[in-house]
Amino acid sequence: MTTARAPRRIVVVGASAAGLTAAETLRAQGYDGALTLIGEEPRLPYDRPPLSKQVLAGEWTAERTRLRPPEAVTALALDLRLGTAATALSPSSRTVSLTRGEDIGWDALLIATGVRPRRLPWSGLPGTHVLRHLDDALALRERLAPGRRLVVVGAGFLGSEVASSARALGAHVTLVEPAPLPLAHVVGRHVGARVARLHREHGVDLRTGTAVAAAESTHGRLTGLRLSDGTHVPADDVLVAIGSEPATDWLAGSGLRLDDGVECDERNRAAPGVYAAGDVARWHNPLFGTTMRLEHRTNAAEQAVAAARNLLHPEQARPFAPVPYFWTDQYGIRVQAYGHLRGHEESRVVEGDPDEGRFLVAYRRGPALVGALSFGLPPKTLRPWRAAVAARADWAEATRA
Ligand SMILES: Cc1cc2nc3c(=O)[nH]c(=O)nc-3n(C[C@H](O)[C@H](O)[C@H](O)COP(=O)(O)OP(=O)(O)OC[C@H]3O[C@@H](n4cnc5c(N)ncnc54)[C@H](O)[C@@H]3O)c2cc1C
């Protein structure tokens, strides 16, 4: 058996939660070779969850979102290329090309380029927003004030959080969602119905079962939307929050398997010497026996740690088999979940009462408990359910009253 030579030149593409955590892990594991971190954004790495919450609400300054103080980034002794995008990858010549026309060689590469917001054909019209970058949040924040009319297209987690923050600022909010209930396809009808009620109780004009048919504009600026039910919604601003797409355009022609993300095996490996982590990575999670790609902050960090370790020590590489976790905050209520809820076959309220706004929902696929979500309950209520999901507990036993 041959032992792979330890890498001396590692390149990480994507300088955010996953990319920075990967770089930190490599150093913490004793890697002292060349380490290049390439990030398209010109800023030092910052955190995204506060963008739709504290930043939009005006509670946090932009600086407060920094993932690490500048000294901590300097201490990593990186070849840090901010404001530079990777434009192509050649696994055979082991190079990555940059926007400046330079090619960088590597012995091992970690892809952490995240996702980009999906757009609509009229998304370029002034008055239309997406929310992924800090600058997006600051630009939207500028526009929100009492009496301003914001239309949010898409009542997923992001759209719902923005509706909540915008209402707190006194803006009029219309939330447009083609499904009959927000979020129900992911978290089930109990949670969807409760979220719908929350929006309405907080004065959001929630329009479900209807889609956007067209944008209306005057003098090149957006003035409102026409919906598929024939109604017209006037708007000063529109946020398009209809999901994201993995940022893999730069990998076209690289030979990597791209299918809703960079396809990896259960050890985070996409090709020899090439690993991926965070929102961009689709991998086989052996705990659930399925491939998944998560857009959760905690996963970005955990997967980056796992991928960086496996990259450094391929002979001892371990499967990455986490119980996924996410949280969302809306109208001062924390919703948290463990497990793989998407594709569940049954959801059941096992504690509390949705009508009272505090409850816990369990999710089943096949005979197994695959997830649990707490709505407005203290974190300790959910913790035992994490262990039960990790143990792939039997549904009937786990949900017995
Ligand atoms: C507004 C908002 C709120 C959120 N709230 C929550 C929450 O409450 N709970 C939760 O669990 N998760 C939340 N998330 C999701 C969470 O932020 C993500 O899961 C996390 O940021 C993923 O980190 P990442 O490093 O994989 O990708 P990203 O954070 O997307 O970072 C990828 C980086 O790579 C850069 N990049 C892309 N292409 C290239 C290229 N070709 N070359 C160089 N650089 C490139 C990008 O510019 C970006 O800086 C939220 C996300 C957003 C946008």
Side-chain angles (χ1 to χ4, degrees), residues 16-18 40-41 48 53 86 113 132 278-279 296-297 327:
S16 183
E40 191 176 42
E41 295 180 72
R48 291 181 211 281
K53 309 173 184 74
T113 45
R132 185 75 197 170
D279 286 12
H296 303 340
R297 175 65 180 83
W327 82 96

Side-chain angles (χ1 to χ4, degrees), residues 155 176-185 206-211:
V176 180
E177 168 59 48
L181 278 177
L183 294 167
H185 67 292
L206 174 63
R207 315 270 187 104
T208 54
T210 184

Side-chain angles (χ1 to χ4, degrees), residues 129-182:
H129 304 255
V130 291
L131 179 45
R132 185 75 197 170
H133 296 316
L134 180 53
D135 290 336
D136 299 332
L138 297 174
L140 184 58
R141 170 74 191 86
E142 275 287 293
R143 298 284 306 161
L144 297 177
R148 282 272 173 81
R149 299 164 305 177
L150 175 71
V151 179
V152 179
V153 180
F157 292 112
L158 180 66
S160 289
E161 288 189 356
V162 170
S164 158
S165 299
R167 283 300 299 142
L169 293 167
H172 290 298
V173 179
T174 306
L175 183 53
V176 180
E177 168 59 48
L181 278 177

Side-chain angles (χ1 to χ4, degrees), residues 121-129 215-224 238:
W122 41 267
S123 285
L125 269 180
T128 314
H129 304 255
E216 292 166 344
S217 60
T218 308
H219 306 304
R221 190 180 165 87
L222 189 123
T223 53
V238 170

Side-chain angles (χ1 to χ4, degrees), residues 12-21 37-43 45-53 56 67 81-88 96-99 111-117 131-134 136-137 157-158 161-162 244 246-251 277-281 294-301 303-304 325-329 334-335:
V12 177
V13 186
S16 183
L20 181 64
T21 306
L37 180 60
I38 301 163
E40 191 176 42
E41 295 180 72
R43 297 173 186 274
Y46 61 87
D47 213 9
R48 291 181 211 281
L51 302 185
S52 48
K53 309 173 184 74
L56 203 56
L67 283 172
R81 313 283 187 102
L82 295 180
T84 307
T87 53
V96 56
S97 309
L98 306 185
T99 23
I111 298 168
T113 45
V115 295
R116 300 186 199 287
L131 179 45
R132 185 75 197 170
H133 296 316
L134 180 53
D136 299 332
F157 292 112
L158 180 66
E161 288 189 356
V162 170
S244 314
T248 53
D249 41 327
W250 66 285
L251 294 167
D279 286 12
V280 76
L294 304 175
E295 296 183 15
H296 303 340
R297 175 65 180 83
T298 310
N299 182 68
Q303 197 169 23
Y325 165 79
F326 74 82
W327 82 96
T328 171
D329 295 322
R334 172 140 300 193
V335 179

Side-chain angles (χ1 to χ4, degrees), residues 2 19 179 196 308:
T2 54

